[in-house]
């Protein structure tokens, strides 16, 4: 006895009665549908890689900006320290020359600054002035303990506040830095002089009564 194998009909997406073009279109559609998930996965992977690259770029940009800011701060700090060291060195050098400048000033006051000594003294004063050394302290200016050092004290009837009446040694500064305060003699108003002045300025009671 021969067994008959039942025929299985292969189902097709192409409806019966369709043309050859319809069959080809159905095949292309089925192939597109089978490959679509793979294309979507590739796009997702590319987008993830792009996001990672953007994140890495942002981090590297931030690191570069911080490094540049630190470098700029370092340059400013080095420049500030360099200027400070230079000012200290110049101030130290000029401090050693102050006794020489005092001798030059005394010689000028006594009329002894003549001849070659005068030329050398003037050259020295020109050099220290170019280095920023400035002399200060004048008679008649108000006494300021931040820039004056009082070596002598007296009372005077013609002053209304503590006043420098004599400059014993001039002061020197470099910019805002005081190298040496001016050493001065000061005079204060005589005790009771201010009260007397106020009494003399006040109107007399007898004058008020006469009015």
């Amino acid at each position: 006895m021969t067994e008959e194998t039942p025929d299985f009909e292969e189902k097709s997406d192409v409806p019966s009665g369709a043309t050859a073009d319809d069959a080809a279109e159905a095949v292309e559609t089925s192939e597109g549908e089978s490959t679509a998930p793979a294309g979507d996965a590739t796009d997702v992977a590319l987008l993830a890689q792009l996001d990672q690259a953007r994140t890495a770029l942002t981090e590297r940009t931030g690191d570069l900006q911080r490094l540049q800011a630190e470098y700029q701060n370092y340059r400013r700090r080095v420049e500030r320290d360099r200027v400070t060291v230079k000012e200290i060195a110049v101030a130290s050098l000029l401090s050693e020359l102050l006794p020489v400048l005092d001798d030059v000033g005394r010689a000028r006051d006594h009329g002894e600054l003549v001849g070659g000594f005068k030329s050398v003294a003037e050259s020295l004063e020109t050099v220290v002035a170019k280095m920023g050394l400035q002399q200060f302290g004048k008679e008649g200016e108000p006494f300021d303990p931040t820039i004056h050092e009082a070596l002598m004290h007296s009372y005077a009837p013609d002053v209304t506040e503590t006043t420098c009446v004599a400059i014993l040694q001039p002061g020197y500064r470099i910019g805002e830095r005081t190298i040496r305060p001016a050493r001065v003699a000061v005079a204060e108003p005589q005790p009771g002089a201010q009260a007397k002045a106020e009494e003399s300025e006040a109107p007399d009671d007898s004058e008020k009564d006469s009015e």
Side-chain angles (χ1 to χ4, degrees):
M1 182 181 290
T2 305
E3 294 181 358
E4 294 181 358
T5 304
D7 295 335
F8 292 96
E9 294 182 359
E10 183 178 357
K11 294 182 179 181
S12 174
D13 294 335
V14 181
S16 59
T19 64
D21 293 337
D22 294 336
E25 183 178 355
V27 171
E28 291 177 356
T29 303
S30 62
E31 290 178 352
E33 291 176 352
S34 62
T35 58
D40 293 340
T42 303
D43 293 341
V44 171
L46 290 176
L47 289 175
Q49 293 179 359
L50 181 60
D51 290 339
Q52 292 177 356
R54 288 175 177 172
T55 302
L57 178 61
T58 302
E59 293 176 353
R60 299 299 179 271
T61 302
D63 293 340
L64 180 60
Q65 291 174 346
R66 285 190 295 270
L67 182 61
Q68 186 175 9
E70 291 177 358
Y71 177 67
Q72 293 295 335
N73 292 333
Y74 169 76
R75 287 188 59 185
R76 285 192 290 268
R77 185 167 59 253
V78 169
E79 181 64 19
R80 184 172 60 250
D81 293 344
R82 185 185 67 82
V83 173
T84 301
V85 170
K86 179 181 178 181
E87 290 178 351
I88 293 174
V90 171
S92 178
L93 172 62
L94 294 177
S95 296
E96 298 296 327
L97 294 176
L98 294 187
V100 179
L101 296 175
D102 291 336
D103 292 338
V104 170
R106 283 190 291 268
R108 180 179 288 110
D109 293 338
H110 290 84
E112 298 174 357
L113 200 62
V114 294
F117 180 45
K118 178 180 180 181
S119 178
V120 172
E122 291 176 349
S123 298
L124 176 63
E125 291 174 339
T126 301
V127 170
V128 297
K130 287 182 179 180
M131 297 177 70
L133 187 67
Q134 299 176 348
Q135 185 183 102
F136 66 90
K138 295 181 180 179
E139 294 182 5
E141 63 185 6
F143 176 76
D144 184 351
T146 62
I147 60 173
H148 297 134
E149 180 181 355
L151 301 182
M152 299 178 63
H153 177 271
S154 63
Y155 295 98
D158 55 345
V159 297
T160 58
E161 61 181 339
T162 305
T163 305
C164 300
V165 293
I167 306 299
L168 306 179
Q169 279 186 330
Y172 290 95
R173 66 164 63 98
I174 299 178
E176 299 298 327
R177 183 192 298 269
T178 299
I179 304 301
R180 186 184 73 185
R183 292 164 180 168
V184 300
V186 299
E188 292 182 345
Q190 289 183 344
Q194 185 67 25
K196 292 180 179 179
E198 292 177 355
E199 290 178 359
S200 62
E201 293 176 359
D204 191 1
D205 293 338
S206 60
E207 294 180 356
K208 290 183 180 180
D209 296 338
S210 62
E211 292 177 357

